[in-house]
Amino acid sequence: MKKREVPASVKDERLVKKRRNQMIKGAITLFKQKGFHQTTTREIARASGFSIGTLYEYIRKKEDVLYLVCDRIYDEVRDRMEQAIDTRQGDLNSLKLAIAYYFKVVDELQDEVLVMYQEAKSLGKDSLPYVLNKELQMVAMFENILKRCVGNGVFHLNEREIQLFAHNIFVLGQMWGFRRWALKKLYTLEEYIEIQTKLLLEGIMKRT
């Protein structure tokens, strides 16, 4: 799926990247506090450290900021996962490590994850499918690990079960971000990882 380009009147690509990084950082804080619809472009400019006129040199409309925020968050999570997780191993230990690392990434980026889940629905029809497809790409990383495990005889799942199991892992990781107000009163991150991993694996390991 083709990425939607956000036009900028500034031609210096390094400057565009720098300014948009500032914009994304400021916008995440504001979207978390006030929500996308209640946040103004003037507030985003102020939080980013430049004028409203400068802001519009790097975007055309407020939705562009939300798109850049969501795009960056998914890229950050995916890049960290790809660097740390070997999807080729196909054993129980590699699956456990993948689950643990993913949950830890969500913990580190919990503000970003919360904003993404709260505000992605406000994206337009030309942006939302692309952003959602990036989420499916991350789910596919877990599908690949699960398929390798099945191929190596670690456990038995059919194709539809693999797909659903991968989504379960993904959602349970995200839950640590958007239910943290309750979960952190009950569990440390390490406890959450240990218990969720145990619950996830108990059902399928009984079928081996």
Side-chain angles (χ1 to χ4, degrees), residues 54-72:
T54 300
L55 180 79
Y56 279 108
E57 291 178 355
Y58 300 95
I59 61 164
R60 289 293 179 268
K61 53 187 178 180
K62 189 172 72 168
E63 187 196 314
D64 289 344
V65 181
L66 179 59
Y67 172 77
L68 292 171
V69 166
C70 292
D71 192 42
R72 173 64 57 82

Side-chain angles (χ1 to χ4, degrees), residues 26-36 38-39 115 118-119:
I28 287 172
T29 300
L30 288 168
F31 293 165
K32 180 189 171 189
Q33 293 173 349
K34 304 181 62 176
F36 171 71
Q38 298 302 316
T39 299
V115 165
Q118 288 177 333
E119 305 301 341

Side-chain angles (χ1 to χ4, degrees), residues 141-183:
M141 295 179 67
F142 288 108
E143 289 183 16
N144 290 336
I145 297 172
L146 292 167
K147 287 177 182 178
R148 294 274 184 174
C149 288
V150 170
N152 291 336
V154 178
F155 44 72
H156 302 292
L157 294 172
N158 61 40
E159 184 68 24
R160 285 168 58 81
E161 289 171 335
I162 287 172
Q163 292 171 341
L164 184 57
F165 198 88
H167 279 282
N168 283 346
I169 295 171
F170 191 80
V171 170
L172 287 173
Q174 304 289 16
M175 188 171 79
W176 179 254
F178 59 73
R179 294 287 297 176
R180 61 184 175 180
W181 61 271
L183 293 172

